Amino acid sequence: MAEDKQTANKSLEQKLNKIESSYSIRKRTSEKGVCIESDLTKEDVGNHAWVLDDACARMAWVAAHELLRSQEKHRLLRIENTHLNAFAQGEGACLQAVAEVIFKNGERCAIRVQLFRGAAEHKASPETLIAEYNLQGIWYDIGEAAAKAEEIVAARNEQQPVASKSAPLSAKEQAIEDKKRRIFEGACEVIGREGYAATTIRKVAKAAGLPISTMYQYIESKEDLLFMITSGCMEEIFDYMYEEMSTDHPPVQKLEEAVSAYMKYISKNRRYINLVYRETRALSRHNREKVFDIERKFTQLWEAIIIEGNKEGVFDAPKSRLAANMVYFFCNVWSLRYWSVQDYTEDEVKEYLMRFIRQGLN
């Protein structure tokens, strides 16, 4: 139990530390409970309202967990709902978040977090209140959570999924997936129309038809929206390719199926792909590398087909990784150069592309 608690607390500690370092968060005691402060707003909030939205939501999360960590020894709270009661811009170079428990029993807990904005030396007061969050969740035992995590890790190590993708979702799981999809499409709409720099979480929430408080249950920052699009798009391509390709077919036919599958996906999702290529540079270095890793794995699908064809003598491409990158990028003509080739049908482009690729591989 002691090791389980240490592991769970370490994971929570890492997340708290990441948020705290991002927003220069400081902790101090308060008459009501836990109070945290941040002075990030003095340079950014004036011109970028989303920074204040983001800082307030993150500070509410940190304040709630800091409060509970001071009271609970063997359990953590899984926050399931965050409700924003009110929000205003306010003025001042310092944010304060004060958390207090408003309800707690053996199964559930509710916490109120009030956000205040003012000068660095100000005291929290009704005049400086800019936001109030209610966070509600259920308790879970640290030992049980650690045991479950071990089961999942063991299943992944054996390359056996915990649940089949084809298994029907429960009503709750389906509702979560629907909200994620709405956020995904709302982010694509706003970022595609206005660009990443001009996008705010509030605009995406409006486009998705969701309260901003619901948005923060699935994302932590504006960059998360862009990462959701880029990584989600690549993962969808993976799924689409696996569904369309047959592992039993010979390499040439398998290559044709791969090209056909990818071009079909492009036809349905061209705006997403173009958005990914245009805005990936706005991601942090860490998230860009994660996207590049996904893309490398996708390129390996093409390379595996080429290597198989080399072994069977139907392809002559000794530099298989280079060839795979070129084949993959040639297919993107249908997306990135659509403005120039839109006079041709998808079948015409696919047929000519396959002729081009086959000649290159031979």
Side-chain angles (χ1 to χ4, degrees):
M1 176 66 74
E3 292 181 358
D4 293 341
K5 181 178 184 297
Q6 185 178 6
T7 301
N9 280 340
K10 184 177 180 181
S11 177
L12 179 61
E13 189 77 36
Q14 290 173 344
K15 188 166 186 177
L16 290 169
N17 288 341
K18 181 179 178 182
I19 295 175
E20 289 167 13
S21 63
S22 299
Y23 285 91
S24 305
I25 290 175
R26 307 177 296 277
K27 305 185 200 73
R28 65 178 177 83
T29 58
S30 168
E31 294 178 359
K32 289 186 175 182
V34 170
C35 175
I36 62 172
E37 295 181 342
S38 171
D39 54 10
L40 174 82
T41 59
K42 61 185 178 184
E43 294 181 354
D44 296 324
V45 172
N47 297 322
H48 304 288
W50 68 267
V51 175
L52 183 60
D53 293 353
D54 189 49
C56 286
R58 292 196 186 205
M59 288 179 69
W61 190 90
V62 172
H65 280 286
E66 287 293 343
L67 175 63
L68 294 176
R69 289 206 305 175
S70 67
Q71 299 179 0
E72 299 292 330
K73 294 182 179 180
H74 302 296
R75 57 182 184 172
L76 297 173
L77 187 71
R78 181 182 293 111
I79 295 176
E80 293 189 322
N81 184 39
T82 302
H83 181 68
L84 177 62
N85 295 329
F87 188 88
Q89 291 288 328
E91 295 182 357
C94 182
L95 286 177
Q96 288 185 353
V98 180
E100 59 178 328
V101 174
I102 56 176
F103 171 79
K104 182 167 68 172
N105 62 18
E107 296 181 354
R108 305 190 67 84
C109 180
I111 302 167
R112 178 189 296 119
V113 183
Q114 293 182 314
L115 278 296
F116 303 88
R117 183 180 179 190
E121 65 278 2
H122 85 293
K123 293 183 179 180
S125 66
E127 291 76 20
T128 59
L129 178 67
I130 64 168
E132 182 178 284
Y133 291 83
N134 282 345
L135 298 92
Q136 301 174 19
I138 59 174
W139 298 110
Y140 66 95
D141 182 84
I142 292 175
E144 293 178 1
K148 183 64 176 177
E150 289 179 1
E151 290 180 12
I152 294 173
V153 170
R156 287 177 178 171
N157 289 340
E158 294 173 3
Q159 296 184 340
Q160 293 177 353
V162 177
S164 172
K165 279 190 174 182
S166 60
L169 298 177
S170 67
K172 183 177 181 179
E173 290 172 335
Q174 187 61 56
I176 291 173
E177 289 302 314
D178 290 343
K179 287 178 182 176
K180 288 181 178 179
R181 187 68 193 181
R182 287 167 67 181
I183 293 172
F184 177 90
E185 292 177 352
C188 287
E189 177 186 335
V190 176
I191 296 175
R193 182 180 66 244
E194 301 187 20
Y196 177 74
T199 295
T200 66
I201 292 178
R202 284 186 176 278
K203 289 179 181 178
V204 173
K206 183 177 180 180
L210 295 170
I212 195 167
S213 57
T214 301
M215 297 281 291
Y216 281 118
Q217 295 178 38
Y218 301 97
I219 61 169
E220 292 182 353
S221 67
K222 187 175 81 163
E223 185 179 339
D224 286 351
L225 293 170
L226 185 55
F227 182 72
M228 176 187 288
I229 294 172
T230 52
S231 60
C233 186
M234 291 303 301
E235 288 169 359
E236 278 191 350
I237 293 173
F238 265 109
D239 292 341
Y240 205 86
M241 293 280 281
Y242 281 128
E243 289 175 4
E244 293 289 319
M245 289 170 55
S246 173
T247 56
D248 297 327
H249 291 163
V252 174
Q253 186 176 349
K254 198 180 296 183
L255 181 65
E256 291 177 353
E257 290 171 347
V259 171
S260 178
Y262 189 39
M263 290 192 64
K264 283 181 182 177
Y265 182 85
I266 291 174
S267 294
K268 294 179 180 179
N269 302 282
R270 184 176 290 107
R271 64 188 183 121
Y272 300 156
I273 295 174
N274 289 349
L275 191 155
V276 166
Y277 274 95
R278 186 176 73 243
E279 299 290 357
T280 299
R281 65 184 183 278
L283 289 170
S284 66
R285 181 177 180 180
H286 175 70
N287 279 338
R288 276 202 309 272
E289 283 302 317
K290 288 168 70 174
V291 171
F292 291 161
D293 283 341
I294 297 173
E295 195 168 44
R296 290 185 189 101
K297 291 178 182 178
F298 183 55
T299 306
Q300 288 170 1
L301 292 177
W302 300 95
E303 186 178 8
I305 297 172
I306 294 170
I307 291 174
E308 184 181 356
N310 286 339
K311 290 179 178 179
E312 294 189 12
V314 294
F315 298 151
D316 183 18
K319 297 181 180 179
S320 58
R321 183 163 59 89
L322 177 59
N325 275 276
M326 296 181 75
V327 171
Y328 169 34
F329 194 76
F330 289 157
C331 293
N332 283 305
V333 166
W334 189 230
S335 176
L336 302 179
R337 299 284 299 177
Y338 181 72
W339 60 271
S340 180
V341 299
Q342 59 183 316
D343 292 335
Y344 302 95
T345 67
E346 178 181 326
D347 287 338
E348 287 176 321
V349 174
K350 181 174 63 179
E351 180 182 353
Y352 199 86
L353 184 60
M354 277 305 306
R355 287 173 54 195
F356 194 80
I357 291 172
R358 281 196 298 266
Q359 290 176 8
L361 293 177
N362 290 322

